[in-house]
Amino acid sequence: MEWIQDWSFLERGLFAGMVIGFLSPVLGAFLFVRRMTIISEGLSHVTLTGITAGLVLMQVTAVFSWLNPLYTGLLAAIFGAFIIERLRGMYRAFEEVSVPILLSAAVGASAVLMSLVPTSYAEWYSYLFGSILTVRQEDVWFTIGVGAVTLLLMLLFYKELLAISFDQEFASVTGVPVQRVNMVFTLLLALVIALSMKIVGILLVGALIILPTAAAYLIAKSFRRMLLLGILFGEASVLGGITASYYLDVATGGMIVVCGLLLFTAALVSAFVRGRTGLGEERIT
Amino acid sequence: MSTEEIVAMDHVSFKYGRQNVLDDISLHVKKGSFLGLVGPNGSGKSTLIKLLLGLHKQQDGTIQLFGEDHRRFRGWSRVGFVSQKAASFNSGFPATVKEVVSMGLYGKKGLFRFLTKKDRQRVEEALEKVGMREYKNKTIGQLSGGQQQRVFIARALVSDPELLILDEPTVGVDAESVQNFYTLLKELNEQQGMTLILVTHDIGAMSSYVTDVACLNKCLHYHGGIVDYEENREELMNRMYGHEVNVIEHNHDHHHHSHDHDHDDLHGGRPG
């Protein structure tokens, strides 16, 4: 695969973008039906803590000067994902509190770590809002590896994840290994968030997970279709966003989210026109 | 009715913390019977079902399913389960009826396997059985309570279970649908020889459909045929409900004893 070495920054960015444009809405669909979308926000901030920790290690110790902060970001995301799971278990009746706890802890730790090392504003900006200019060849390999693992796990556990999301008790009764599948899901989430960092940045990772799915829900009449439409919207947002940012010379991550928002608005209008806005009411009867 | 025992519980006890929920229960269910398990709220009915399904572990006694100790039992696809619908599903979930029924096959298929054409055919057949085939492409939330419950039966039937367990399946379902629902259960029992355990607190509605009755209130007050039950009904009711009143009077430490453990969440999977 030597041709990858000849890729321009734009090709590298497009490739990495296409991968997350596919994976984010898939995870998003499961988070959506499990009412857990907010977790992606918590995890993205933990990833930031991991990245800053990596930068500190790189600059302070000679041993780690080779380090790519993406790796420490990934480790932090996995660690954070399991902390959230534990907290959710401890505050069973108030599960949502686990996200603000982790989010504030992560941002606090990041601020302290940031103050330890001299880093330029531009570099922080690229971590917060993403930048395809910074996608290096090494990152492309990282994307291929992590993306392939994620895709494989998604395919293997699709039906178990769906069964647990719909009715955990029934899934358990029929012999689905609920706890193991939930662990895999948490791991997948951490992988995808770490993967999205370079392109859309910490503050916008959540948008790429949520917007395509939220739009697809308004149109689709089955879970499968919601998933497929979500992927379509995710890819359209990424491609549209990168193209627009290239020609208009604006922030890539932001433009991707703006494209997602446009698609979401279009879905909202189409649902409104077809009288499908009161989904909740129609379905409760 | 054959003599083969599908369920054999012997001297089973279960406690939540220090509170006795089930006390020395021995219950045997023969192949082909239709057992109505009745008792007041908080009598331990749902706990008993969760023990049977392996979702809780008893502290004392033994449970056998199809002649096998249920801690070693792996044939869960031989057991179908229909829960209280309100308890465990989100009505806004964007799943079609077909998708919901397919979920009944996932455990049987095992990890890393996809549904085949034959599986999809079985989904259609299960829907046919409960008379819901024409609704297969509707989203589950668009259906009425009675229709949803039929779909959940189809989900339990799709793996061809030999034992079907239903935990208060008619809560929140209108009276007419309840009648049709019981008729459907009776057909499954009489025409296909399926063994059924129906948990309910609505004793009157089920009495003309079941073959056996078990009355539960922490311990088993009656277990036998429906005819004997009808003859001794009044005395039984006094004993069963009277027992609960006595417990409240004598147990000053447990004012909250009527807490309904039947509805506790199930966050984990099977223990062990």
Side-chain angles (χ1 to χ4, degrees), chain A residues 212-225:
Chain A
T213 304
Y217 176 74
L218 293 172
I219 297 170
K221 285 180 177 159
S222 75
F223 186 80
R224 212 171 67 99
R225 283 195 198 165

Side-chain angles (χ1 to χ4, degrees), chain A residues 121-134:
Chain A
Y121 171 76
E123 193 169 351
W124 287 121
Y125 185 90
S126 82
Y127 286 122
L128 291 178
F129 297 104
S131 157
I132 59 165
L133 297 171
T134 61

Side-chain angles (χ1 to χ4, degrees), chain A residues 32-35 92 95 155-160 162-163 165-170 172-182 217 220-226 276 282-285, chain B residues 50 53 55 76 81 83 88-96 99-100 103-104 106-114 137 139-144 148 152 155-156 266-270:
Chain A
F32 181 87
V33 293
R34 304 179 94 177
R35 297 191 178 127
R92 199 156 276 179
E95 286 179 359
L155 279 173
L156 293 179
F157 288 98
Y158 172 80
K159 67 183 193 324
E160 281 77 15
L162 179 58
S165 306
F166 183 73
D167 186 342
Q168 183 157 311
E169 185 182 66
F170 183 82
S172 178
V173 167
T174 53
V176 172
V178 172
Q179 274 160 341
R180 261 184 290 163
V181 175
N182 277 340
Y217 176 74
K221 285 180 177 159
S222 75
F223 186 80
R224 212 171 67 99
R225 283 195 198 165
M226 182 172 94
R276 260 176 66 96
E282 176 197 358
R283 288 169 183 219
I284 281 164
T285 51
Chain B
K50 281 170 186 168
L53 293 169
L55 296 168
W76 289 107
F81 175 55
S83 66
S88 56
F89 111 95
N90 167 6
S91 66
F93 201 105
T96 60
E99 284 178 314
V100 171
M103 292 177 200
Y106 290 174
K108 192 176 191 171
K109 295 298 283 183
L111 291 173
F112 316 144
R113 280 171 204 280
F114 301 99
N137 291 320
T139 47
I140 184 75
Q142 288 176 318
L143 306 180
S144 72
Q148 284 175 355
F152 291 132
R155 179 178 67 163
L266 281 159
H267 279 267
R270 283 195 182 89

Side-chain angles (χ1 to χ4, degrees), chain A:
Chain A
M1 288 209 268
E2 293 203 336
W3 42 276
I4 289 178
Q5 290 169 15
D6 302 328
W7 276 359
S8 68
F9 81 90
L10 192 64
E11 285 167 320
R12 288 197 295 264
L14 267 173
F15 174 78
M18 295 284 286
V19 172
I20 60 163
F22 183 92
L23 293 174
S24 302
V26 177
L27 265 289
F30 286 109
L31 284 174
F32 181 87
V33 293
R34 304 179 94 177
R35 297 191 178 127
M36 283 164 57
T37 46
I38 194 72
I39 283 183
S40 58
E41 298 297 334
L43 286 185
S44 59
H45 287 77
V46 177
T47 312
L48 176 68
T49 314
I51 284 174
T52 42
L55 285 171
V56 171
L57 279 176
M58 264 169 78
Q59 297 189 10
V60 175
T61 64
V63 195
F64 288 107
S65 56
W66 52 272
L67 197 73
N68 184 338
L70 263 190
Y71 301 156
T72 47
L74 173 64
L75 281 180
I78 293 173
F79 181 67
F82 288 104
I83 297 259
I84 285 192
E85 278 300 303
R86 287 303 291 271
L87 285 173
R88 275 161 57 88
M90 286 167 76
Y91 290 93
R92 199 156 276 179
F94 308 96
E95 286 179 359
E96 71 280 2
V97 81
S98 57
V99 172
I101 288 176
L102 197 73
L103 197 147
S104 45
V107 173
S110 302
V112 171
L113 288 167
M114 275 181 197
S115 65
L116 290 177
V117 288
T119 317
S120 70
Y121 171 76
E123 193 169 351
W124 287 121
Y125 185 90
S126 82
Y127 286 122
L128 291 178
F129 297 104
S131 157
I132 59 165
L133 297 171
T134 61
V135 179
R136 289 175 293 170
Q137 211 178 76
E138 194 187 339
D139 301 328
V140 173
W141 290 114
F142 179 81
T143 307
I144 291 174
V146 175
V149 169
T150 313
L151 189 64
L152 188 72
L153 287 173
M154 283 307 312
L155 279 173
L156 293 179
F157 288 98
Y158 172 80
K159 67 183 193 324
E160 281 77 15
L161 275 171
L162 179 58
I164 293 173
S165 306
F166 183 73
D167 186 342
Q168 183 157 311
E169 185 182 66
F170 183 82
S172 178
V173 167
T174 53
V176 172
V178 172
Q179 274 160 341
R180 261 184 290 163
V181 175
N182 277 340
M183 290 261 274
V184 170
F185 182 70
T186 307
L187 184 72
L188 286 178
L189 191 59
L191 290 176
V192 169
I193 283 175
L195 207 56
S196 316
M197 296 296 312
K198 279 270 169 170
I199 303 294
V200 283
I202 291 132
L203 296 179
L204 303 176
V205 165
L208 198 53
I209 289 183
I210 306 315
L211 283 175
T213 304
Y217 176 74
L218 293 172
I219 297 170
K221 285 180 177 159
S222 75
F223 186 80
R224 212 171 67 99
R225 283 195 198 165
M226 182 172 94
L227 201 74
L228 296 176
L229 260 181
I231 293 170
L232 191 72
F233 290 158
E235 293 292 19
S237 308
V238 167
L239 290 179
I242 291 180
T243 312
S245 78
Y246 182 74
Y247 287 108
L248 304 174
D249 196 21
V250 291
T252 320
M255 210 55 219
I256 290 174
V257 174
V258 168
C259 283
L261 200 62
L262 286 174
L263 285 169
F264 174 72
T265 312
L268 208 60
V269 170
S270 110
F272 185 73
V273 169
R274 286 173 304 133
R276 260 176 66 96
T277 42
L279 284 178
E281 297 153 51
E282 176 197 358
R283 288 169 183 219
I284 281 164
T285 51

Side-chain angles (χ1 to χ4, degrees), chain B residues 129-148:
Chain B
K129 258 183 217 169
V130 299
M132 290 296 292
R133 195 169 182 168
E134 57 188 300
Y135 296 90
K136 64 183 180 185
N137 291 320
K138 295 255 178 223
T139 47
I140 184 75
Q142 288 176 318
L143 306 180
S144 72
Q147 291 172 324
Q148 284 175 355

